[in-house]
Amino acid sequence: MSLPLSIAARPLEPFGLEIERDLARPLSPEDEAELRQLLATHKLLLFRRQSLSEADQVRVMGALGRVLGARGEYREISSDGNLGAGPLAYHSDLAFTDEPFKVLSLHALEVNDNESWTSFANGVTVLGKLGPQLRAAVQHHEALTVISVVQSHRDVEFDPAPFLPQQRRPVVIPHPATGEPVLYISEMQTARIEGLDQAASEQLLQQLFAALYAPENVYRHYWRRGDLVIWDNIALQHARCDLTGMHPRRLQRVAIADKSFFELCPQFDLSDPRIAAWASGQRLQVEKEGEIR
């Protein structure tokens, strides 16, 4: 019988846990239960020196929930492939839908050690760091989150086109699994705080971003070949550096979710000229009914 995962573990700063375990070996039911508990507690788990096939990673992630199928999803991310090499601002995958992805994992198949990084900001711990005035200011507000054409930095429209996937929910949500309060806004995807004008909304958001992305609330992971990082996509949001010139860089991706992007956003049809124009980066002036002017 293997020792508990927590025996060979060390805390990361300011959150997360690094665990010594070869995940190519099968997990016992006890291991799987502990893995779920450790993720619920620490929000991010790091396993180094792994050599996992896609099937291995799917098996490991299956201990945490329903694994999203590969069809229509990115199972590999490369700096010269599907998602390009540009930086990504902080975001939570599919936060603009009613069912954001639950857990994400990336396995470094091929990287130049310690060259590229992914940062993770903790939406749970930040709430304890907000002053009472700021926390009170967001308790009864909702935010509008939308898919953003600009992903490298904050450039989301205050009043986005109605045909784009978007979702209203409280600024502070209960975590669907643990019940913990989570500050659920992001620089890439949050368009506005409802009930405030544009200037007041952006001022409040910038105050919250300052706390959310402060160094003491962020774990920055510098990738090494063989790393596997598993994180809670609701409690945490992530960003990455500019990957220009960083070759090779291939990461294997497996997600825990009940539905895929296209199941959650059936209206997102690239044959629609509005969507095609949006996807090409054009700024559209859109009528209230969603027609192009």
Side-chain angles (χ1 to χ4, degrees), residues 157-180:
E157 294 183 79
F158 179 77
D159 191 16
F163 61 81
L164 293 175
Q166 53 195 271
Q167 185 73 23
R168 286 179 178 83
R169 55 169 57 87
V171 173
V172 178
I173 65 168
H175 190 286
T178 68
E180 299 165 289

Side-chain angles (χ1 to χ4, degrees), residues 35-108:
L35 189 67
R36 291 190 290 272
Q37 183 56 53
L38 291 174
L39 182 64
T41 301
H42 298 279
K43 314 308 180 193
L44 181 145
L45 304 177
L46 167 62
F47 298 84
R48 293 200 186 270
R49 296 176 295 279
Q50 304 297 311
S51 182
L52 304 177
S53 67
E54 184 177 313
D56 285 333
Q57 192 170 340
V58 167
R59 171 181 52 79
V60 171
M61 293 297 287
L64 299 171
R66 181 182 182 276
V67 173
L68 189 65
R71 186 178 180 184
E73 292 297 322
Y74 294 123
R75 276 288 174 90
E76 185 177 294
I77 297 171
S78 62
S79 55
D80 57 352
N82 37 51
L83 295 183
L88 294 177
Y90 279 106
H91 65 286
S92 171
D93 281 19
L94 272 67
F96 47 80
T97 72
D98 59 359
E99 293 187 45
F101 288 175
K102 299 174 183 178
V103 182
L104 295 173
S105 67
L106 289 175
H107 177 34

Side-chain angles (χ1 to χ4, degrees), residues 79 83-89 151-152 240-244:
S79 55
L83 295 183
L88 294 177
Q151 299 190 332
S152 60
R240 78 175 187 197
C241 64
D242 189 347
L243 304 175
T244 303

Side-chain angles (χ1 to χ4, degrees), residues 95-142:
F96 47 80
T97 72
D98 59 359
E99 293 187 45
F101 288 175
K102 299 174 183 178
V103 182
L104 295 173
S105 67
L106 289 175
H107 177 34
L109 302 177
E110 195 175 13
V111 297
N112 293 322
D113 289 355
N114 300 315
E115 184 181 61
S116 64
W117 53 260
T118 301
S119 284
F120 300 88
N122 195 321
V124 175
T125 56
V126 69
L127 286 168
K129 300 170 185 175
L130 299 181
Q133 257 189 327
L134 190 54
R135 183 156 182 172
V138 299
Q139 282 300 321
H140 304 294
H141 278 294
E142 291 191 331

